Amino acid sequence: MRQARFTRNIWLGIENLLLHKLRSFLTMLGVVFGVGSVVAMLSVGEGASKHALEQIRKLGSNNIIVASMKSAEEEQASTQHSHMSIYGLTYEDHRRLSESFKDIRATAPAKLLRKDSRLGERTMELRVVGATPAWFDLVPRDIVAGRALLPADQEKRSPVAVLTEFGARKLLATESTIGQTLRIGGNQFEIVGIIQSESGQAGNIQIPDQDIDVYIPLDVAQRYFGDFFAKRTAGSEEREKVELHQIIVQVDDPRNAESVGAGIETMLALFHKKRDYVVSVPLALLKQAEATKRTFNIVLGSIAGISLLVGGIGIMNIMLASVTERTREIGIRRAIGAKRMQIVFQFLIETVVLSTTGGLIGLGIGVLIPALIRYFSGMPTVLTMNGILLPLFVSVGIGIVFGLYPAMNAARVDPIIALRHE
Amino acid sequence: MSTATSPKQGHEIVRLENAWKVYQMGTEDVKALRGVNITFGKGDFWAIMGPSGSGKSTMMNVLGCLDRLTSGAYYLDGQDVSQLDDDALSELRLKYLGFIFQSFNLIPQLTVQRNIELPLYYLGWDAVRSAQRAQELAEQVGLGDRLSHRPTELSGGQMQRVAIARALTNDPQVIFADEPTGNLDSATGVQIMEVLTRLNQQGKTIVMVTHEPDIAAYANRRLHMIDGNIDRIEEGAYVTAPGPVTARVSPQDVSRRAGTFARPDEDVTRAARDA
Ligand SMILES: Nc1ncnc2c1ncn2[C@@H]1O[C@H](COP(=O)(O)OP(=O)(O)O)[C@@H](O)[C@H]1O
Ligand SMILES: [Mg+2]
């Protein structure tokens, strides 16, 4: 019975709003856009940050990545003719590093090379990584076929190659390719396996195996290709000497990642004259990303708050005008016997119906926009339950908060004055 | 100070005792009612007359529980209602009183049916029963085929009849009508008066403000006001009033206990019997 009465009240509210369709629609536009933009922004923001966090997590929360980097001075000097740049991590750095920290469980040094390669009739430049078997423990990926590099390959300096899925696709290699010969920079390698690869970018640092085509044992890479590289760019030749391009360090406990990262920085600073390396701690990045996300949420929340406030004020404004316009109607209802609270309730229901309808339409728009973004740009978007329910509750709340003042105004109408002949 | 009672009927429905209404206009006091004493009996049909500004509407608002006295007492069916709060007065209006206004005061956006149903909505009737009641009342005032019309599509006389139907939905004890024919031509005014006379014959107490003597002639008692007080009272049947005056009050009315109101539901059946 109470329930039926409540639905009837809502129904009459809707009926009343339908008497002024255009006005009701315009009144709720503020809430429509407020809620719409909040839902859309939350969804896009949530998608972006979730993506970033996932990528960072892929780096491993107890990994530290130390990479060679041409220092700024070197970059300047290398524009001159026949200059030889010597920079980056050395074998000595790797030895010191793996011996100096008790919290380090394993290290994986690597050389990154670009070499013209040939498989069967296909020839192309491949990105080759000289790595130790430890790599595959630190950057674990599923084996698609065959095997990864083994300690025996390193000891025997076997000329074997493990393709990534990415490289395999380039070379049109399949499982049956295993055992065949891959020529890398004029040297013969036996393909022993294919492993999965990850793509993508984690903020401003690369995933270790991003864009890699093939792995060979580190010692083999050093013996065959040495530490000197020649890069031809726009007619001029650039020569570099880099011993190791990257060292992945795994600590025993993620809690030590940041302190070990700092220790590595200090140690490298001691032995390097220039800053030709960069130490990145994924865990620190993760924390940073989470902090960024929090900031983003606060900013979003403020924007949402402001836009919903504006929407609410819009509703209040129109409802106040509506109360003035309907003074006579209110007077009639009061004269007939409506109590003040019933008048408050009537107007409150109208505003809540307005703001909630606005909220629902806004929600529709807010769900549609991220879907379109996802469809056209492939950007990930995430709709969370909170992202839907919160704006809805807020729009009901807006109706109540901003409807209360006009509704109380309505209840204050004196029937005698309202009904005096015009 | 003038005093008036209605000796013919035993039961009073409305009594004012030394009723004062003073409006504060800046520093000046406007005394709209100056110690009025009056008693209306159940089943009476009163016309309140007097020059503009003599306090007729003020008295109607007080009697209709829309306004409160500055001092004095107001007994409605034996109960002193002068100290009641806004909610209690609203409840009295809702359950026991009916209003008819000069300017009809229908809600223009609502259909005739919705307008008639309005009090039932606040009485908590469900939609089906309300619709039935609206239909019944519309037929009673001769507008059974106009339920889905809007007030703007009706003539003045029709609008006033809708207002009468609305005033009857709660089967009121008293109907208050402030210049009900003031906005109507005389022919239409007569039709409205015929409706009111019939209601009075069915036992309804009616209090009506008018300054047209031939409209006042339908009432069986006339109260003349001047300067916020009673000037004189005229009694007696009327040339134009149809039917014997003495037949107006049904025995049920007389036997009903003073000081209590019947619930509207009971009244519906009673009205049906009377009709
Ligand atoms: N709300 C009010 N405020 C101040 N004065 C009022 C108010 N209502 C009525 N009055 C004054 O009270 C007196 C009686 O008014 P009213 O009852 O409307 O007279 P009538 O209906 O007989 O023409 C008039 O002088 C009028 O100006
Ligand atoms: Mg008046």
Side-chain angles (χ1 to χ4, degrees), chain A residues 34 212 285 342:
Chain A
I212 287 173
L285 287 172
Q342 289 174 311

Side-chain angles (χ1 to χ4, degrees), chain A residues 163-181:
Chain A
L163 294 176
T164 64
E165 275 183 315
F166 188 60
R169 218 173 296 134
K170 270 184 169 173
L171 291 166
L172 305 177
T174 60
E175 284 180 33
S176 62
T177 319
I178 289 171
Q180 289 187 12
T181 300

Side-chain angles (χ1 to χ4, degrees), chain A residues 169-315:
Chain A
R169 218 173 296 134
K170 270 184 169 173
L171 291 166
L172 305 177
T174 60
E175 284 180 33
S176 62
T177 319
I178 289 171
Q180 289 187 12
T181 300
L182 174 67
R183 296 185 71 90
I184 302 176
N187 299 285
Q188 296 192 357
F189 288 80
E190 185 197 346
I191 299 174
V192 294
I194 301 175
I195 68 164
Q196 241 174 22
S197 52
E198 285 284 348
S199 59
Q201 185 102 17
N204 45 9
I205 61 163
Q206 286 197 326
I207 310 183
D209 59 342
Q210 182 177 318
D211 298 334
I212 287 173
D213 300 316
V214 57
Y215 295 98
I216 58 175
L218 177 61
D219 289 355
V220 177
Q222 193 196 351
R223 171 186 290 179
Y224 285 3
F225 307 117
D227 300 326
F228 293 91
F229 304 93
K231 265 205 260 177
R232 269 173 290 272
T233 40
S236 74
E237 195 182 57
E238 230 183 274
R239 277 149 48 80
E240 298 183 351
K241 181 182 185 238
V242 180
E243 292 183 7
L244 288 172
H245 291 88
Q246 187 176 296
I247 304 170
I248 303 175
V249 177
Q250 188 171 57
V251 293
D252 50 2
D253 190 318
R255 275 173 296 185
N256 296 327
E258 285 180 78
S259 62
V260 171
I264 293 172
E265 285 262 13
T266 319
M267 195 194 84
L268 290 176
L270 219 57
F271 294 96
H272 287 242
K273 284 198 213 67
K274 287 171 263 177
R275 228 192 118 75
D276 53 358
Y277 54 86
V278 52
V279 180
S280 39
V281 183
L283 189 72
L285 287 172
L286 192 72
K287 283 183 181 164
Q288 200 184 324
E290 274 164 356
T292 311
K293 192 190 158 188
R294 266 195 299 280
T295 315
F296 181 73
N297 280 348
I298 291 170
V299 171
L300 242 183
S302 319
I303 295 173
I306 291 169
S307 61
L308 290 173
L309 187 76
V310 170
I313 290 172
I315 288 192

Side-chain angles (χ1 to χ4, degrees), chain A residues 70-85 87 238 240 274:
Chain A
K70 224 182 212 181
S71 65
E73 301 98 301
E74 202 65 56
E75 199 72 66
Q76 200 69 42
S78 66
T79 53
Q80 291 157 21
H81 226 59
S82 67
H83 173 85
M84 160 89 99
S85 316
Y87 69 92
E238 230 183 274
E240 298 183 351
K274 287 171 263 177

